Amino acid sequence: MSLIPLPPGSLSADRSERAAINDRMLSACDGPEGSVRLHEEARQNLKHLWLYGGNRDGRTPGRRPDWIFIRPDFLMHQPGVGHEPALARLVPARGLSLRLELFMLFDAQCRYGPEDRVRINRTFEAVEANAPIKSWQKMVLSDTNSDYRDAAALRGRQIKKALRVLEQQHLANIGADKSRSGRRDLNRITLLSEASTPVNRPKYTVSTNGVYVSRHFFTSLWVFALTNTEIAVFLALSARRAAFPTAHNTSGVFVVQKHRSQFGLKDNTWRSARELHHYGLVDSVPDSCRDIYTGKIENFGNRWKKHEVMPTRFTVIDSALEQPAVPTIDRVLNNPTPEDQWRQRIGWVPRVGRAVTTD
């Protein structure tokens, strides 16, 4: 089916700040002009981790999980627990802490099974050029406008700060530096369960169920390209999908106020669902009560009284995650296709042949 022609008028509000963040990621590089861009290098390294799981020969297949599982306790309030879930605590934190936590879950599930002892043995200095376990800086993409001579060092400081935040949030342990009394060794990280609390802090073990996220969320670099609030909403919608798979596949899932309180996220965080839809990561299910060109509900007051106004329903589009994140966001924000423009204009993409009513 083809697209209905885009009507005249302006697109959604200016998002120059969001575009600037992505521009810096697009241009980030650890070498002089002409070197491989960091988003390409990191994406290749994450894919290599998924393919070979850190095997030293670089040829023996790794575990290659199609889905990365996250324990629901990480995302949602649990009965009898008197503190916010880790996701809600990490979203306001500046820097890489949320992204790094998710990356370490991916790292562990690519390298270890449910019965294995998980080891985080990644270093900040490249031990050897072709080492199977790349340094932190070669796996992580961050928002920086530093000169290439300082880029890796700056990213290293960002990662170290994020690891300290994860320790404060009971999600990781940083070992003692055996050569310097009273100091910590950031090359000795123990990953704790994503369901840890200040009282109960078990070591991380690979989960085989829970909220599931496509491995492409990581290997296509969405884990680093999305903002904290965009990641939070994507994970929340993924949690709703895991809880209501049939509804997700037939009519979409929604999050109203009573559901939102389970996640502990601020109201403005949920607005990032619009960005996820603009990038094509989720679909907003068309509502026949909404005008095709404006997206507005006619006779809203009367429909509200009759309980005819339904919350927006979403479906997670796993196939969209296969697109490289940074170039895709760049296209949507700076050079949108007609389909991108429809998504930005009214929140969904009307096509010729689709039944549409506007009354």
Side-chain angles (χ1 to χ4, degrees):
M1 293 181 291
S2 60
L3 282 172
I4 291 175
L6 192 74
S10 60
L11 293 176
S12 56
D14 175 66
R15 290 169 298 178
S16 56
E17 182 177 352
R18 180 67 182 89
I21 293 172
N22 198 71
D23 287 346
R24 291 193 290 271
M25 292 187 178
L26 190 67
S27 61
C29 187
D30 283 353
E33 186 174 352
S35 300
V36 176
R37 298 296 181 186
L38 182 62
H39 72 90
E40 296 172 343
E41 183 177 10
R43 183 159 59 92
Q44 185 62 38
N45 287 339
L46 282 167
K47 184 176 180 181
H48 190 277
L49 170 61
W50 179 81
L51 285 170
Y52 304 110
N55 292 321
R56 177 158 289 277
D57 62 9
R59 294 188 301 271
T60 304
R63 299 184 60 82
R64 301 186 180 183
D66 289 327
W67 304 99
I68 303 303
F69 289 96
I70 304 171
R71 290 178 170 86
D73 306 52
F74 179 78
L75 306 170
M76 295 176 285
H77 283 291
Q78 301 301 315
V81 177
H83 66 279
E84 290 184 318
L87 177 64
R89 302 197 306 270
L90 292 178
V91 167
R94 293 179 177 271
L96 292 169
S97 54
L98 175 56
R99 299 169 180 82
L100 212 60
E101 168 69 14
L102 296 174
F103 163 69
M104 288 196 290
L105 299 184
F106 170 74
D107 188 357
Q109 293 183 39
C110 285
R111 296 164 59 195
Y112 301 104
E115 305 302 323
D116 297 335
R117 176 187 174 190
V118 174
R119 298 178 178 86
I120 303 298
N121 53 352
R122 206 170 291 282
T123 65
F124 283 88
E125 300 295 334
V127 179
E128 54 184 284
N130 296 313
I133 305 298
K134 300 292 184 182
S135 68
W136 286 103
Q137 290 97 321
K138 292 300 181 183
M139 305 297 291
V140 173
L141 178 66
S142 65
D143 174 15
T144 174
N145 57 0
S146 174
D147 181 89
Y148 79 86
R149 296 175 182 84
D150 304 315
L154 173 58
R155 198 159 59 257
R157 291 193 293 272
Q158 292 174 327
I159 295 167
K160 291 175 182 178
K161 182 178 180 180
L163 289 171
R164 294 188 181 100
V165 170
L166 294 179
E167 184 179 48
Q168 294 167 3
Q169 296 297 335
H170 323 294
L171 296 168
N173 270 341
I174 303 175
D177 189 332
K178 296 180 179 180
S179 64
R180 296 180 296 177
S181 177
R183 301 292 293 272
R184 314 300 290 281
D185 185 352
L186 284 161
N187 287 328
R188 298 179 61 212
I189 303 295
T190 299
L191 181 62
L192 302 180
S193 170
E194 68 271 48
S196 292
T197 70
V199 177
N200 185 25
R201 305 174 65 189
K203 292 182 179 180
Y204 177 78
T205 56
V206 170
S207 179
T208 56
N209 55 56
V211 178
Y212 55 96
V213 178
S214 168
R215 65 94 170 174
H216 294 287
F217 181 80
F218 302 89
T219 55
S220 295
L221 234 60
W222 293 99
V223 65
F224 294 119
L226 296 178
T227 66
N228 279 7
T229 57
E230 291 165 357
I231 290 172
V233 175
F234 183 82
L235 293 179
L237 292 175
S238 296
R240 296 291 290 168
R241 170 175 68 169
F244 303 98
T246 301
H248 174 271
N249 294 335
T250 57
S251 60
V253 293
F254 58 89
V255 186
V256 294
Q257 193 61 46
K258 68 177 181 179
H259 305 137
R260 293 182 179 190
S261 62
Q262 295 178 325
F263 295 97
L265 302 173
K266 303 297 184 183
D267 284 345
N268 63 340
T269 298
W270 295 101
R271 296 174 190 154
S272 290
R274 294 177 300 186
E275 278 64 50
L276 296 177
H277 187 264
H278 294 165
Y279 307 149
L281 302 187
V282 301
D283 257 350
S284 174
V285 178
D287 185 342
S288 61
C289 292
R290 296 181 184 274
D291 184 272
I292 182 176
Y293 288 111
T294 67
K296 295 181 179 179
I297 299 176
E298 296 186 10
N299 300 320
F300 179 84
N302 291 333
R303 291 182 183 276
W304 179 265
K305 292 177 182 179
K306 296 177 182 179
H307 304 288
E308 294 177 350
V309 178
M310 297 297 295
T312 303
R313 294 175 179 267
F314 295 97
T315 56
V316 178
I317 310 301
D318 295 308
S319 60
L321 293 166
E322 298 177 25
Q323 301 300 314
V326 177
T328 298
I329 295 175
D330 176 63
R331 185 204 73 221
V332 170
L333 297 181
N334 296 319
N335 189 31
T337 65
E339 182 167 332
D340 295 332
Q341 293 178 49
W342 266 115
R343 286 179 176 274
Q344 294 176 52
R345 179 70 63 79
I346 66 172
W348 57 284
V349 185
R351 299 179 185 275
V352 174
R354 172 185 283 166
V356 176
T357 60
T358 58
D359 59 354

